[in-house]
């Protein structure tokens, strides 16, 4: 299966298996959010357990200096205007 990981204007296409966990190596400074449900993916649960399906969109957020995570910031197609 494939999922799309987005952060700001970047998109990463990841090939994975439904039995894989969200982060096989826990990374304390990043967080993945399933956009269809706005749920934060848990490191210890598989993608299938968290209802991540083929072609899912997952947002990547990073920890800021104040120890909080940044907000999800993914431009929508309407945000891109043709001049």
């Amino acid at each position: 299966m494939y999922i799309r990981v987005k952060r700001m204007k970047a998109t990463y296409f990841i090939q994975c298996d439904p039995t894989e966990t969200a982060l096989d190596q826990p990374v304390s400074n990043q967080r993945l959010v399933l956009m269809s449900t706005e749920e934060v993916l848990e490191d210890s649960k598989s993608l299938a357990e968290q209802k991540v399906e083929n072609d899912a969109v997952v947002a990547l957020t990073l920890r800021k200096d104040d120890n909080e995570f940044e907000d999800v910031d993914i431009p929508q197609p309407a945000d891109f205007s043709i001049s």
Side-chain angles (χ1 to χ4, degrees), residues 45-56:
K45 290 185 178 179
S46 72
L47 297 172
E49 288 175 308
Q50 298 180 88
K51 309 279 191 272
V52 178
E53 298 178 350
N54 188 46
D55 203 31

Side-chain angles (χ1 to χ4, degrees), residues 35-54:
M35 293 302 295
S36 62
T37 62
E38 298 184 3
E39 295 288 328
V40 175
L41 298 181
E42 295 182 36
D43 296 351
S44 61
K45 290 185 178 179
S46 72
L47 297 172
E49 288 175 308
Q50 298 180 88
K51 309 279 191 272
V52 178
E53 298 178 350
N54 188 46

Side-chain angles (χ1 to χ4, degrees):
M1 71 187 266
Y2 289 89
I3 60 174
R4 290 175 279 168
V5 177
K6 294 185 164 216
R7 180 169 187 266
M8 298 182 183
K9 293 183 180 180
T11 301
Y12 306 92
F13 294 87
I14 309 293
Q15 181 179 3
C16 52
D17 188 273
T19 60
E20 292 183 60
T21 58
L23 298 171
D24 285 327
Q25 298 295 320
V27 179
S28 61
N29 289 333
Q30 67 182 26
R31 181 171 68 180
L32 297 174
V33 180
L34 181 59
M35 293 302 295
S36 62
T37 62
E38 298 184 3
E39 295 288 328
V40 175
L41 298 181
E42 295 182 36
D43 296 351
S44 61
K45 290 185 178 179
S46 72
L47 297 172
E49 288 175 308
Q50 298 180 88
K51 309 279 191 272
V52 178
E53 298 178 350
N54 188 46
D55 203 31
V57 177
V58 178
L60 171 65
T61 62
L62 302 177
R63 191 179 303 276
K64 301 183 294 186
D65 290 337
D66 64 2
N67 214 28
E68 295 293 321
F69 282 98
E70 63 191 8
D71 293 330
V72 172
D73 180 17
I74 300 173
Q76 298 302 311
D79 294 343
F80 299 105
S81 60
I82 299 174
S83 303

